[in-house]
Amino acid sequence: MRTDVQLRRATEADLPELLGHVRALHELERLERADAEREAALRPLLGDSDMGRIYLLRVGPRTIGYVALGFGYSIEFGGRDAYVDELFLQPAYRGQGIGRRVLQLLRREAAALGLHALHLEVARDNEPAQRLYRSAGFELRARYCLMSARLDTDAQPDPQDP
């Protein structure tokens, strides 16, 4: 098992390298986005953002993936929390214990940031990822299901709405 992975906060200078990893994950997940859209979504999370963090996953001098956190707040969990929005490891580094180590480091980093909980979603048919997340202390909240509504931020408000 390789555990020499490190988290390094991504900065503006890392954007070209980061985009390559994000593109690879999106291709794997069949998420169609233009690079300009990806870049616009990544920029607010670079550096010491109040919105979240992106960490490059490094083994020695090599970047092998990334993990992105989006900050939120939960009354249920008693304060600030974060959503593990994306986690990607290059295929050659999977199955070596690196993902588990990344999640351990991420939990430690989240606690240092004062977060009270981490949340994530995983495909129902992705058993290997579910095993990884369970081994890192994440629990299925069977009583709940994630629901989403995409918002059109370019839309003008309807004058008929109160």
Side-chain angles (χ1 to χ4, degrees), residues 100-155:
R100 185 174 300 110
R101 180 67 177 144
V102 164
L103 291 169
Q104 290 170 343
L105 294 171
L106 191 61
R107 287 177 64 130
R108 195 174 304 151
E109 182 73 14
L113 290 168
L115 302 178
H116 293 252
L118 286 176
H119 313 281
L120 55 78
E121 68 177 324
V122 60
R124 293 186 194 278
D125 62 351
N126 191 341
E127 283 296 324
Q130 289 180 35
R131 281 192 301 275
L132 167 65
Y133 298 141
R134 278 193 298 275
S135 76
F138 287 84
E139 298 176 2
L140 177 66
R141 300 186 75 205
R143 206 174 126 197
Y144 304 96
C145 64
L146 178 68
M147 298 176 72
S148 303
R150 185 174 295 275
L151 304 177
D152 181 3
T153 58
D154 294 330

Side-chain angles (χ1 to χ4, degrees), residues 37-58:
E37 291 176 287
R38 290 183 184 110
E39 186 174 328
L42 292 169
R43 281 188 188 280
L45 299 176
L46 298 173
D48 280 330
S49 172
D50 290 337
M51 303 286 293
R53 296 282 189 279
I54 295 182
Y55 298 96
L56 297 177
L57 308 179
R58 313 252 319 161

